[in-house]
Amino acid sequence: MAFLEFRNVSKVYPPNVRALENVTFSLEKGEFVFVQGATGAGKTTLFRLITREERPTKGEIWFSGRRIDNLDSQLVPFLRQRLGVVFQDLELVPEWTVYEHLVAPLFVLGMNGREALQAAKKMLSLLGLEDKSFFQVRCLSGGEKQKLCVGRALIHRPKLVLADEPTGNLDEVSAMEVLKLLFEFSRREKATVVVATHNRALLGCFPARVIFLEKGRVWEGER
Amino acid sequence: MGRISRYILRKPALFFMGALSTFLVLFLINTISLGYLEFSKLREHWRERFMVRAFFREDVSEETMHKVAKEIAASFYITQVVLVPPEEAKKRFLERTGLSPESVEGVSFPASLEVVPKYIENLLDIVRELKENPSFGEVLYGGQEVENFLRLFQLFVRFSRGFFLGVLGFGVCVIVVITAFSVQLRRREVAVLSLVGATDGFAFSPFFLEGILFGLCGGIGAYLCAAFFLFPLLRLAEEVFPGFFGVQIEEHLLWLFVLDLLGGCGMGMVGTLFGYLGVRQSIR
Ligand SMILES: Nc1ncnc2c1ncn2[C@@H]1O[C@H](COP(=O)(O)OP(=O)(O)O)[C@@H](O)[C@H]1O
Ligand SMILES: [Mg+2]
């Protein structure tokens, strides 16, 4: 069985917005995948179905051998603990510091303070944010926020990473840095990393599988 | 614990608001409780003055007098019944007036019953019952002015009961709304924690503890205020009107402390719980 699998998944937002239609695909462990589609194609919706922020109107979603589209809502936190998500709208708390954001997923997993501090330090140097660790997020630039979001998604070393437009707020150089970070993470941890983007220019930069999304339908191409 | 202290430091205004509202409500509750204690003391004090004296008819035998006294003493609304025989009445009269026994030769002193009501607001009912009893001739008590006073008193009792319940209900509502609101203001923190996989318990625990903490602060504040402001005030009043204010303050310090702490904690917890439930519904 595949690591992540969509079977004939449709999502209709009320009143009648067809965000996804009959989406079927599967991902294996350790894959690095781009999901490319214009804005409004349904990329964010696809991710929200995996994180259970939304539920599909039709179809089944399987993750790591379990069906998650009808998962009991009590178990949703444990699903989310196994994912690393870079949210399109970042989902940061302006008053929290960079450090607090990084350790949040670790504390949620029950890690103790000293270990969490070590992990956060490592991640901060990886992101190039060492000198910002005790800045409140509202004092960061857009690009720094974006990087922080990536760091928070990776710090607990999840086996599935969903990055929704992780380069949206970044200049070209930083964008490549972030993508490299995600790519290397995928290799190092044997984790599946899915990057959603509207930018076709990014696709050629990494040896990756590409899933195209157009008006809620998928088709595949390989490069 | 680190998480909580950071929460409080970052939004101290919300913490103060919670603590302050808890404090105010508990202070009110303290004041009213003490007022009630004073009030019961006053009631006790007054009822001695509002004794009813019922004179037996001349033809009632001594045996019947004892029987009637016993019957009346059995009533729930009466604390004390004293039978005053004729000799005793005569002795008292002579003592009070200072006359010699010879000067009242031939005057009859009827036996009477002294009845002390348990609650002075029941005095009029007791008088009515005694008047209906065929063993008694005359029933004496304060009269018209006392009657008016008692009516006022009854009104006050009823009003203050309603007032107390109203204040309590309103105060608790205010605290719950304020604390719930302060959790709502931090909706984003709960939402973000939930997105990174926090269980409800994990996301809510700092708010809950914070609720307990400001409840405790408010409770301790209210207690200190009672101990260092209300009680001295009562003591002062006691000096000014000697014998009138009789609450033994030391007896009540302990339960007041417990009431304030539990009340503060409870209100803080309930408030944050409501706030959290409201937030929980609105996040994915
Ligand atoms: N909560 C929602 N309610 C109604 N329509 C929505 C909602 N979220 C997204 N949509 C619609 O679904 C479609 C797909 O949106 P989205 O998944 O965000 O696209 P993308 O991320 O590819 O830009 C869009 O037409 C959008 O307007
Ligand atoms: Mg999107």
Side-chain angles (χ1 to χ4, degrees):
Chain A
M1 174 169 274
F3 186 51
L4 178 73
E5 190 172 355
F6 273 56
R7 292 184 191 159
N8 294 316
V9 173
S10 295
K11 174 67 188 176
V12 181
Y13 286 111
N16 195 21
V17 184
R18 298 178 169 275
L20 292 177
E21 282 192 73
N22 258 332
V23 170
T24 300
F25 68 89
S26 58
L27 304 177
E28 297 302 330
K29 271 201 180 119
E31 270 190 301
F32 187 82
V33 185
F34 279 115
V35 173
Q36 197 278 331
T39 28
K43 305 180 296 289
T44 300
T45 303
L46 194 79
F47 284 175
R48 284 195 169 161
L49 292 178
I50 302 170
T51 59
R52 261 298 290 270
E53 290 167 73
E54 298 285 350
R55 298 176 77 155
T57 316
K58 197 179 104 298
E60 295 176 10
I61 304 171
W62 291 76
F63 169 58
S64 190
R66 276 190 88 149
R67 197 175 155 181
I68 58 169
D69 57 282
N70 59 2
L71 196 68
D72 192 278
S73 62
Q74 303 255 297
L75 297 176
V76 169
F78 303 103
L79 167 68
R80 290 180 181 172
Q81 284 168 17
R82 299 184 56 184
L83 307 175
V85 188
V86 182
F87 300 94
Q88 184 167 18
D89 30 20
L90 302 183
E91 303 289 357
L92 301 170
V93 183
E95 294 87 22
W96 285 7
T97 61
V98 171
Y99 171 75
E100 283 173 299
H101 278 91
L102 287 178
V103 295
L106 300 177
F107 282 160
V108 163
L109 285 169
M111 190 183 275
N112 70 39
R114 191 156 359 103
E115 281 177 279
L117 182 65
Q118 289 302 323
K121 269 190 184 150
K122 234 165 92 186
M123 183 53 74
L124 282 166
S125 70
L126 220 55
L127 297 170
L129 291 176
E130 295 103 320
D131 49 343
K132 298 277 161 73
S133 78
F134 291 103
F135 277 44
Q136 290 191 0
V137 160
R138 61 158 161 248
C139 307
L140 299 183
S141 75
E144 286 164 338
K145 284 183 199 163
Q146 186 84 59
K147 281 188 186 172
L148 170 59
C149 220
V150 173
R152 184 181 60 182
L154 303 184
I155 195 163
H156 55 301
R157 297 161 65 190
K159 287 292 176 219
L160 176 60
V161 176
L162 309 171
D164 197 351
E165 308 273 10
T167 60
N169 292 314
L170 300 176
D171 59 80
E172 245 168 84
V173 179
S174 315
M176 284 324 283
E177 269 176 37
V178 163
L179 281 179
K180 210 173 113 216
L181 204 69
L182 288 166
F183 187 76
E184 282 170 357
F185 179 83
S186 163
R187 278 293 141 87
R188 194 172 63 240
E189 304 284 338
K190 311 245 174 314
T192 306
V193 174
V194 188
V195 178
T197 180
H198 65 274
N199 188 353
R200 281 174 173 270
L202 291 180
L203 305 184
C205 305
F206 291 91
R209 181 178 156 194
V210 181
I211 296 174
F212 293 100
L213 245 184
E214 200 178 314
K215 292 189 180 136
R217 295 174 182 276
V218 293
W219 81 84
E220 291 228 17
E222 215 101 19
R223 280 187 76 118
Chain B
M1 212 56 210
R3 264 208 299 159
I4 300 158
S5 58
R6 270 200 304 276
Y7 273 36
I8 294 172
L9 287 178
R10 214 155 276 158
K11 296 259 170 74
L14 295 181
F15 183 83
F16 280 127
M17 217 152 73
L20 197 69
S21 55
T22 321
F23 165 75
L24 287 178
V25 170
L26 284 174
F27 183 71
L28 239 120
I29 291 178
N30 285 350
T31 312
I32 293 175
S33 322
L34 285 180
Y36 178 78
L37 289 175
E38 276 304 339
F39 174 79
S40 0
K41 277 279 170 186
L42 282 184
R43 195 148 80 164
E44 222 161 87
H45 175 78
W46 276 337
R47 76 168 177 227
E48 307 288 332
R49 312 248 152 128
F50 288 115
M51 182 183 58
V52 182
R53 185 180 296 278
F55 291 95
F56 285 103
R57 289 178 191 287
E58 300 273 349
D59 53 349
V60 178
S61 70
E62 208 175 314
E63 203 180 317
T64 324
M65 284 182 196
H66 282 288
K67 216 180 93 204
V68 169
K70 217 180 232 169
E71 271 170 25
I72 290 173
S75 161
F76 172 77
Y77 293 102
I78 289 166
T79 42
Q80 195 188 331
V81 175
V82 179
L83 183 64
V84 184
E87 311 82 65
E88 172 77 16
K90 184 171 169 185
K91 203 175 110 206
R92 280 194 198 175
F93 178 78
L94 293 178
E95 253 168 38
R96 210 166 43 230
T97 54
L99 294 172
S100 63
E102 294 79 42
S103 56
V104 290
E105 202 74 55
V107 181
S108 74
F109 288 90
S112 64
L113 208 58
E114 291 175 356
V115 179
V116 178
K118 195 179 232 165
Y119 306 114
I120 60 168
E121 58 265 35
N122 300 121
L123 184 96
L124 293 179
D125 297 329
I126 292 169
V127 167
R128 194 167 351 93
E129 259 172 56
L130 291 177
K131 275 185 176 164
E132 280 165 13
N133 195 320
S135 313
F136 297 115
E138 221 178 343
V139 179
L140 292 186
Y141 66 104
Q144 186 62 39
E145 266 167 46
V146 168
E147 231 164 80
N148 288 339
F149 173 77
L150 285 180
R151 229 168 267 133
L152 202 71
F153 190 81
Q154 272 171 348
L155 199 74
F156 175 70
V157 169
R158 223 170 285 147
F159 171 77
S160 59
R161 237 174 247 156
F163 182 72
F164 178 69
L165 287 180
V167 165
L168 196 68
F170 179 73
V172 169
C173 276
V174 167
I175 290 179
V176 168
V177 168
I178 286 181
T179 52
F181 186 63
S182 77
V183 180
Q184 294 271 1
L185 280 180
R186 302 211 308 230
R187 189 184 159 280
R188 180 145 198 91
E189 295 174 29
V190 179
V192 167
L193 282 174
S194 155
L195 283 176
V196 299
T199 53
D200 276 334
F202 185 91
F204 180 47
S205 58
F207 292 98
F208 197 65
L209 289 177
E210 197 192 309
I212 292 180
L213 212 59
F214 74 62
L216 280 182
C217 284
I220 290 173
Y223 173 76
L224 291 180
C225 224
F228 292 108
F229 174 68
L230 287 183
F231 283 137
L233 199 71
L234 282 186
R235 238 175 239 145
L236 202 72
E238 208 173 336
E239 277 168 27
V240 178
F241 311 104
F244 218 59
F245 291 78
V247 174
Q248 281 304 305
I249 289 153
E250 289 71 21
E251 279 173 26
H252 301 294
L253 278 174
L254 183 68
W255 71 253
L256 202 72
F257 187 63
V258 173
L259 175 89
D260 283 347
L261 284 197
L262 289 185
C265 279
M267 287 188 273
M269 285 194 285
V270 171
T272 44
L273 190 66
F274 272 104
Y276 186 77
L277 290 179
V279 169
R280 197 70 197 77
Q281 298 221 312
S282 70
I283 62 179
R284 301 181 296 250

